[in-house]
Amino acid sequence: MIPTTFENNPICKLFKIRYPVISGGMIWCSGPELAAAVSAAGGLGLLGSGSMRPDDLRENIRKVRALTDKPFGVNIPISTNKYSEANVQVVLEEKPPVVFTSAGNPKTYTKILKDAGMIVAHVVSSSKFARKAEEAGCDAVVAEGFEAGGHNGREETTTLCLLPDVCASVSIPVIGAGGIASGRAMAAAFCLGAVGVQVGTAFALSEESAAHPAFKNYCLTLGEGDTMLLYKKVSPTRLVKGAYFDLIKAAEDRGASADELRGIKGVGRAREGMALGNLSDGELEIGQAASQITAIRPASAILSEIVSDFHSTLS
């Protein structure tokens, strides 16, 4: 039976938080205001360092500490940010309580982060990589299904199928992610074996999200099927349908090579779309759960509703 309270929840104990709900470490969305808001409301807020240079990350870690005294974390994509190694050094100096790593080999940084006293979780898209994360010494693993926004696993395994397989493959706590934007979805993840959830899209469209208002408001108009996984030859990424989406899809449909796709993408497309609000030429990343979001609300209200709906669903 799934506990109806979180008093003995492994994720709450591990991260020293009230609710086993973690915000996604999303590029151009997960700034200090969002991380602090989620942590202050009882979850675990994450800074998304994928868009940050070392000086930016240091400043933002200190901003979170100024905004809340609750535990928080930093997400470090290992292979998708050229500043990852330098950002790890910043983390070793600033010592946030928790680090989530993703998009790379967990052995790269897990030991040095844990030796420095931090709790480490790693994001995976398969049972194979979940086992590697456990072998690397990670304290927890995030099983992220292909419903999620942004970078995704090549296997295209859905959360519904991924979670039970990962839970059966490792002994460390498993956090479910991908398509989780409600308490009902959180309850489903717990039924499949997860003991915590990571929520991306719902918090990306919150008031405290660093994303541009034009991007947030556009995502509120999305319906079922308005996002799709592209860049499969480069790095599978879930994008919102639109002008830039059409450009990439047309190139993929005619068999464009990985190098050609990189050339079309160029540099700064995600910043252009999500941070600057250029809906035509920018890259827009959001999860399938965007179709369930109807308003931009405070992160605290989103978290409170998820927890409340989780309990009422189990009841």
Side-chain angles (χ1 to χ4, degrees):
M1 179 176 290
I2 300 171
T4 55
T5 69
F6 302 121
E7 183 179 354
N8 296 309
N9 179 274
I11 290 299
C12 290
K13 286 185 172 182
L14 181 64
F15 298 141
K16 297 180 173 59
I17 55 179
R18 184 176 181 185
Y19 306 120
V21 179
I22 298 100
S23 63
M26 303 164 287
I27 187 170
W28 304 118
C29 296
S30 299
E33 290 79 13
L34 178 57
V38 173
S39 288
L44 183 75
L46 295 185
L47 279 171
S49 74
S51 59
M52 300 178 191
R53 300 183 182 211
D55 288 345
D56 299 325
L57 178 57
R58 189 185 306 277
E59 179 182 354
N60 286 326
I61 289 173
R62 294 178 179 180
K63 280 184 179 179
V64 176
R65 285 201 168 107
L67 291 168
T68 182
D69 60 355
K70 301 298 183 182
F72 69 98
V74 174
N75 179 74
I76 298 179
I78 296 170
S79 61
T80 58
N81 181 1
K82 64 181 180 180
Y83 298 108
S84 292
E85 187 173 347
N87 282 345
V88 167
Q89 186 56 45
V90 170
V91 163
L92 290 171
E93 294 167 5
E94 295 293 327
K95 290 184 170 52
V98 180
V99 175
F100 276 48
T101 54
S102 60
N105 189 340
K107 288 185 178 180
T108 308
Y109 298 121
T110 297
K111 186 177 187 305
I112 61 172
L113 292 168
K114 285 178 64 68
D115 286 349
M118 282 165 272
I119 298 165
V120 180
H122 188 68
V123 183
V124 302
S125 58
S126 71
S127 297
K128 173 185 175 182
F129 291 119
R131 289 190 293 270
K132 287 183 178 293
E134 184 172 37
E135 290 166 5
C138 292
D139 299 292
V141 66
V142 180
E144 184 178 78
F146 120 117
E147 299 94 326
H151 294 284
N152 255 286
R154 295 185 181 279
E155 302 85 355
E156 299 187 16
T157 308
T158 64
T159 305
L160 192 69
C161 295
L162 179 64
L163 261 178
D165 285 347
V166 169
C167 291
S169 300
V170 298
S171 58
I172 55 178
V174 176
I175 299 162
I180 299 173
S182 68
R184 289 180 298 166
M186 179 178 172
F190 274 58
C191 286
L192 295 172
V195 290
V197 292
Q198 185 166 46
V199 176
T201 295
F203 286 130
L205 304 182
S206 69
E207 288 182 1
E208 293 87 351
S209 166
H212 195 279
F215 168 71
K216 295 183 197 178
N217 287 319
Y218 182 59
C219 287
L220 295 183
T221 70
L222 301 179
E224 180 184 317
D226 282 341
T227 69
M228 187 179 291
L229 208 65
L230 294 183
Y231 291 143
K232 295 181 184 180
K233 291 182 180 178
V234 183
S235 177
T237 308
R238 181 167 297 283
L239 302 180
V240 176
K241 292 180 178 179
Y244 176 66
F245 171 96
D246 292 340
L247 181 68
I248 295 297
K249 190 172 188 306
E252 290 190 346
D253 287 346
R254 62 176 168 77
S257 67
D259 285 342
E260 184 180 352
L261 290 169
R262 291 189 190 98
I264 295 172
K265 180 177 181 179
V267 178
R269 286 277 194 176
R271 176 176 180 269
E272 188 73 20
M274 293 183 284
L276 301 181
N278 185 340
L279 303 182
S280 298
D281 300 321
E283 179 177 300
L284 310 178
E285 302 176 10
I286 203 71
Q288 288 182 329
S291 62
Q292 302 169 24
I293 312 300
T294 58
I296 296 170
R297 300 185 296 152
S300 59
I302 294 169
L303 179 56
S304 178
E305 183 176 271
I306 288 173
V307 172
S308 176
D309 286 352
F310 170 84
H311 291 307
S312 62
T313 298
L314 290 183
S315 296

